[in-house]
């Protein structure tokens, strides 16, 4: 938990100085953030309940929890839960002021993938399908799918 300005500066610097490595490093940092959340922020009993439920129910419960604690994922941005498997971020501070044809938010992909893999279904994968850096008015959109185990 660090100030979002520091996090944003780190992400920008990483993309600027190591453009080839940045997506993988950001994704790994997102996975590590997911591990931190699992270890320190979600009580073991809640985790056990989510794992025991069918994935449709656990995804719904997890998406509600993510919405309640949105600042953890989006800082001053705005998180919108489109469905238990789809999230959008408006004004994502990690990409503020940037422009790119490619999606830039591998950190979010890593966090959401890790949480869903641990609590909903081991085969879950998150992909950013649209990025706020791709044009004015765009939102970062993250879609989770059940992959093959």
């Amino acid at each position: 938990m660090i100030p979002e300005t520091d996090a944003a500066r780190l992400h920008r610097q990483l993309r600027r100085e190591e453009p080839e490595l940045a997506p993988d490093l950001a994704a790994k940092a997102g996975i590590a953030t997911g591990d931190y959340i699992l270890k320190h922020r979600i009580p073991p009993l809640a985790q056990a309940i989510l794992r025991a439920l069918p994935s449709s129910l656990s995804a719904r419960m997890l998406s509600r929890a993510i919405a309640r604690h949105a600042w953890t994922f989006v800082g001053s941005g705005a998180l919108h839960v489109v469905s238990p498997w789809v999230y959008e971020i408006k004004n994502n501070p990690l990409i503020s002021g940037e422009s790119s044809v490619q999606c830039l938010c591998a950190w979010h992909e890593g966090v959401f993938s890790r949480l869903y893999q641990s609590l909903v279904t081991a085969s879950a994968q998150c992909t950013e399908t649209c990025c706020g850096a791709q044009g004015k008015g765009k939102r970062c959109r993250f879609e989770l799918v059940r992959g093959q185990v």
Side-chain angles (χ1 to χ4, degrees):
M1 306 299 173
I2 62 173
E4 77 175 33
T5 53
D6 294 345
R9 185 171 42 252
L10 176 66
H11 281 263
R12 270 192 305 279
Q13 196 69 21
L14 178 61
R15 287 191 290 269
R16 190 176 304 125
E17 291 188 17
E18 296 293 343
E20 299 298 320
L21 296 175
D24 187 51
L25 291 174
K28 287 178 180 175
I31 291 166
T33 301
D35 288 337
Y36 174 86
I37 292 167
L38 290 165
K39 185 172 181 180
H40 299 287
R41 299 289 181 217
I42 303 174
L45 179 59
Q47 291 187 41
I49 291 169
L50 288 171
R51 289 181 184 123
L53 292 172
S55 61
S56 61
L57 291 176
S58 58
R60 195 171 314 139
M61 290 178 71
L62 180 58
S63 69
R64 287 185 195 140
I66 288 171
R68 280 193 309 274
H69 302 281
W71 63 270
T72 303
F73 307 96
V74 301
S76 64
L79 179 80
H80 175 67
V81 179
V82 177
S83 80
W85 298 88
V86 179
Y87 298 91
E88 290 183 347
I89 301 172
K90 181 179 178 183
N91 301 323
N92 185 346
L94 295 185
I95 57 155
S96 180
E98 293 193 57
S99 179
S100 175
V101 295
Q102 298 175 324
C103 291
L104 299 178
C105 306
W107 180 84
H108 285 95
E109 288 176 330
V111 174
F112 292 137
S113 288
R114 179 68 179 115
L115 294 176
Y116 273 72
Q117 287 166 359
S118 179
L119 301 171
V120 178
T121 178
S123 65
Q125 292 295 318
C126 179
T127 302
E128 184 180 21
T129 59
C130 183
C131 186
Q134 291 175 320
K136 185 174 173 76
K138 297 258 185 186
R139 294 180 179 195
C140 301
R141 183 179 176 96
F142 302 91
E143 298 183 13
L144 287 124
V145 295
R146 296 175 194 97
Q148 295 182 0
V149 180

